[in-house]
């Protein structure tokens, strides 16, 4: 019997600058200049597509976009999201309450959530698992094809006060979606959302941007045995039959085997870490080369110190000091 499996990660691909207006292109250039003081690794993370997402999230207001992006860069360091391992969220994943599986017809990875399968009260780890899945969804996007969003598919069947998260946890997850992964949501499907959830959603709704709210779709089950039966029209806009799990009208397996899923996830995590180490080395080598080039250019410029010929200024000694400073500096 087929089983639920995590998507394979993609090696980060260089995404060309999206087609944008001259005004938006200028905004991207300005935002990148403002972030010229961040580390080389962070510079590599801030692609043109990343700049555009953060600008869109703040209506192209430079100050607000810069604040949001700097906040994310600091959060990624403090939270260590790239270093979360499958072992850390192993127990949270045991019940299959949240997992990545497949993609929609547009190639966007899908995060399935079934709150009725809630199996812990460790709220910090619940948030960590969501952060892991959001980060993992990014690694399963084929950026060479312009894919930069995911789909949330939340099944509220069996949702109750016994498995509903506290409001504080809901706010943290909402902050992840809006502040740490802005403009990553392509669509969200809320299946059979009860009043208990809609009340929470109503409370949080004022804090959700209009563009995000427009992506949220509330759908009701059809057919017998608690299934959606024939695929819902709204869902059919995003999914073909072989893209969606069988429980919701598709043909994709809904059979979650924890050991099988997590074994594959661990293998993919190791693969991603190896890629990351190669990327870090490439950035480090590039930085070292840039430093050496700066030193060479300084000495070359000083080889004809016409403005200093009539002074007692020791050019060689001065430039040696600059050279040492450059070599100690992390560009």
């Amino acid at each position: 019997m087929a089983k639920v499996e995590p998507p394979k990660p993609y090696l980060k691909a260089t995404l060309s600058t999206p087609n944008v207006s001259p005004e938006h292109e200028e905004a991207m250039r300005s935002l990148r200049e403002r972030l010229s003081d961040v580390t080389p690794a962070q510079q590599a993370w801030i692609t043109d597509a990343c700049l555009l997402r953060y600008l869109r999230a703040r209506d192209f207001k430079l100050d607000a976009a810069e604040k949001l992006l700097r906040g994310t860069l600091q959060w990624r360091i403090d939270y260590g999201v790239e270093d979360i391992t499958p072992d850390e969220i192993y127990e949270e994943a045991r019940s299959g309450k949240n997992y990545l599986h497949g993609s929609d017809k547009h190639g966007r990875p899908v995060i399935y959530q079934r709150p009725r399968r809630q199996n812990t009260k460790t709220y910090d780890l619940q948030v960590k698992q969501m952060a892991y899945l959001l980060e993992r969804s990014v690694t399963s996007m084929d950026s060479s094809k312009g894919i930069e969003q995911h789909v949330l598919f939340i099944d509220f069947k069996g949702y109750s006060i016994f498995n509903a998260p506290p409001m504080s946890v809901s706010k943290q997850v909402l902050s992840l979606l809006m502040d740490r992964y802005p403009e990553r949501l392509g669509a969200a499907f809320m299946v059979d959302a009860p009043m208990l959830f809609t009340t929470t959603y109503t409370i949080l709704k004022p804090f959700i941007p209009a563009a995000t709210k427009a992506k949220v779709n509330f759908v009701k089950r059809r057919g017998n045995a608690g299934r959606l039966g024939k695929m819902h029209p709204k869902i059919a806009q995003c999914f073909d039959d072989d893209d969606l799990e069988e429980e919701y009208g598709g043909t994709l397996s809904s059979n979650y085997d924890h050991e099988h899923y997590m074994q594959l996830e661990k293998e993919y995590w190791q693969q991603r870490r190896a890629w990351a180490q190669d990327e870090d080395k490439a950035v480090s080598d590039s930085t070292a080369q840039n430093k050496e080039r700066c030193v060479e250019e300084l000495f070359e410029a000083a080889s004809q110190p016409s403005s200093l010929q009539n002074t007692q200024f020791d050019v060689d000694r001065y430039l040696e000091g600059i050279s040492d400073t450059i070599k100690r500096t992390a560009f």
Side-chain angles (χ1 to χ4, degrees):
M1 178 184 293
K3 298 179 180 180
V4 171
E5 294 186 349
K8 294 181 180 180
Y10 280 93
L11 181 63
K12 184 184 291 184
T14 301
L15 186 63
S16 59
T17 303
N19 292 325
V20 296
S21 66
E23 292 81 8
H24 288 174
E25 189 172 352
E26 175 61 22
M28 292 166 62
R29 186 193 62 77
S30 297
L31 182 54
R32 186 174 292 284
E33 286 182 355
R34 289 181 176 215
L35 297 164
S36 61
D37 60 326
V38 303
T39 68
Q42 290 173 327
Q43 287 284 3
W45 185 81
I46 303 172
T47 62
D48 287 341
C50 174
L51 292 172
L52 189 56
R53 284 195 302 273
Y54 278 80
L55 284 164
R56 286 201 308 260
R58 290 297 180 266
D59 296 322
F60 285 85
K61 296 175 182 176
L62 275 174
D63 288 346
E66 179 186 0
K67 181 179 179 180
L68 182 65
L69 185 42
R70 285 188 182 277
T72 295
L73 292 174
Q74 189 59 51
W75 172 80
R76 293 182 69 83
I77 294 173
D78 296 340
Y79 200 76
V81 67
E82 293 182 20
D83 298 321
I84 300 174
T85 68
D87 286 335
E88 291 180 66
I89 51 98
Y90 190 85
E91 289 304 318
E92 291 296 325
R94 181 176 293 280
S95 66
K97 61 189 175 188
N98 303 319
Y99 57 74
L100 269 168
H101 186 205
S103 57
D104 73 349
K105 66 171 65 177
H106 307 294
R108 301 176 297 190
V110 183
I111 300 175
Y112 286 92
Q113 296 184 288
R114 295 177 175 88
R116 67 179 178 274
R117 295 182 180 178
Q118 183 58 262
N119 61 324
T120 73
K121 293 293 184 181
T122 48
Y123 300 127
D124 57 334
L125 288 178
Q126 290 176 17
V127 175
K128 178 173 283 191
Q129 186 197 21
M130 192 61 192
Y132 178 90
L133 287 174
L134 291 171
E135 186 71 13
R136 180 69 172 83
S137 75
V138 173
T139 69
S140 61
M141 297 173 187
D142 188 353
S143 58
S144 67
K145 296 180 179 178
I147 298 169
E148 59 175 352
Q149 294 182 319
H150 59 250
V151 176
L152 283 180
F153 202 100
I154 308 177
D155 181 358
F156 286 95
K157 178 183 177 181
Y159 189 76
S160 71
I161 59 173
F162 300 106
N163 51 45
M167 182 63 71
S168 60
V169 173
S170 297
K171 288 182 176 179
Q172 288 181 67
V173 171
L174 184 62
S175 177
L176 283 177
L177 291 167
M178 294 195 310
D179 300 333
R180 303 308 168 218
Y181 297 88
E183 293 293 307
R184 285 292 193 185
L185 180 65
F189 294 95
M190 312 295 187
V191 180
D192 286 346
M195 183 177 294
L196 179 60
F197 173 78
T198 55
T199 299
T200 301
Y201 183 74
T202 300
I203 294 172
L204 297 175
K205 201 171 180 179
F207 304 100
I208 303 175
T212 301
K213 286 184 283 191
K215 300 173 183 177
V216 178
N217 302 278
F218 288 86
V219 298
K220 291 291 184 181
R221 270 182 167 79
R222 296 176 174 181
N224 300 318
R227 293 177 179 271
L228 280 173
K230 185 179 180 181
M231 194 180 294
H232 193 285
K234 286 187 177 180
I235 296 176
Q237 294 175 7
C238 283
F239 294 90
D240 289 325
D241 288 349
D242 56 357
D243 297 323
L244 188 66
E245 289 193 359
E246 56 191 358
E247 183 175 353
Y248 308 109
T251 60
L252 204 61
S253 173
S254 300
N255 179 26
Y256 180 80
D257 181 322
H258 178 61
E259 299 297 333
H260 176 73
Y261 188 96
M262 293 305 291
Q263 179 58 43
L264 286 174
E265 187 59 32
K266 289 179 181 180
E267 292 175 9
Y268 293 156
W269 189 86
Q270 291 292 343
Q271 186 177 15
R272 284 162 39 225
R273 293 305 296 173
W275 288 345
Q277 289 171 0
D278 289 344
E279 187 176 78
D280 289 345
K281 184 178 184 304
V283 170
S284 178
D285 291 346
S286 176
T287 301
Q289 291 172 4
N290 287 339
K291 290 178 181 179
E292 292 298 331
R293 187 175 67 253
C294 286
V295 172
E296 291 173 1
E297 289 176 354
L298 281 169
F299 275 100
E300 182 178 351
S303 64
Q304 299 176 347
S306 57
S307 60
L308 301 176
Q309 287 178 349
N310 297 323
T311 72
Q312 299 299 314
F313 188 77
D314 189 334
V315 176
D316 289 339
R317 183 176 181 183
Y318 175 71
L319 289 176
E320 285 175 2
I322 292 179
S323 172
D324 289 340
T325 299
I326 290 174
K327 291 178 180 178
R328 291 195 304 268
T329 302
F331 279 15

